Amino acid sequence: MRIFTKKLPHPDLPAEEKAQLLQNSEYQEMMVESTFMYLTLDLPTAPLYKDEKEQLIIPQVPLFSILAKFNGVTEKEYKTYKENFLKRFQLTRLPPYLIFCIKRFTKNNFFVEKNPTIVNFPIT
């Protein structure tokens, strides 16, 4: 897998300072090749509304749409305590077996919440 990482300047900086920082080598895109044991897939957030019969709507998402994270084009922002990064992932070669880790649980200060989204797998 190729991992492309680009550091982002702080959003509160003035535009001139941002432009100046983007010229710095620290803010240029870097590429690293890495092996992997499994792929972590992010589910879209579950809707917060109910249908007309007052039942919860359980969304469905095709496997290919959550695998789009690894197409080499889709970028995702990762935030750390001090810095923000923009990352994109590109699969160069697939192993004979592939393990997916679907992130279904989110944790906040009070409890753990489960995302009920159904992932549709292709039959063939």
Side-chain angles (χ1 to χ4, degrees):
M1 175 184 337
R2 288 188 187 122
I3 304 170
F4 299 91
T5 307
K6 183 169 39 172
K7 186 176 176 181
L8 297 175
H10 195 276
D12 295 339
L13 292 175
E16 316 82 49
E17 197 172 332
K18 280 184 190 179
Q20 190 176 33
L21 282 175
L22 289 175
Q23 302 301 322
N24 192 346
S25 63
E26 183 182 1
Y27 289 87
Q28 300 303 312
E29 186 174 70
M30 295 181 298
M31 190 269 296
V32 176
E33 290 206 7
S34 174
T35 58
F36 58 92
M37 297 289 285
Y38 58 89
L39 298 177
T40 303
L41 305 176
D42 302 321
L43 289 176
T45 56
L48 300 175
Y49 54 86
K50 296 181 179 187
D51 65 0
E52 58 274 351
K53 296 179 184 176
E54 292 297 316
Q55 296 177 354
L56 287 176
I57 295 174
I58 300 176
Q60 296 185 21
V61 62
L63 178 66
F64 296 117
S65 68
I66 58 175
L67 279 172
K69 173 182 177 181
F70 300 100
N71 65 5
V73 178
T74 306
E75 296 179 326
K76 184 175 179 187
E77 189 173 348
Y78 290 88
K79 296 180 180 185
T80 62
Y81 178 68
K82 292 184 177 181
E83 301 170 327
N84 295 343
F85 294 95
L86 203 59
K87 290 189 177 190
R88 58 187 173 96
F89 304 93
Q90 181 182 26
L91 294 177
T92 54
R93 190 169 51 108
L94 291 176
Y97 300 99
L98 195 56
I99 299 170
F100 297 135
C101 177
I102 299 174
K103 292 177 66 176
R104 194 172 286 281
F105 294 94
T106 55
K107 197 187 294 186
N108 67 17
N109 292 337
F110 303 109
F111 57 90
V112 175
E113 190 174 354
K114 181 181 177 184
N115 186 335
T117 302
I118 296 170
V119 178
N120 294 325
F121 286 82
I123 296 174
T124 55

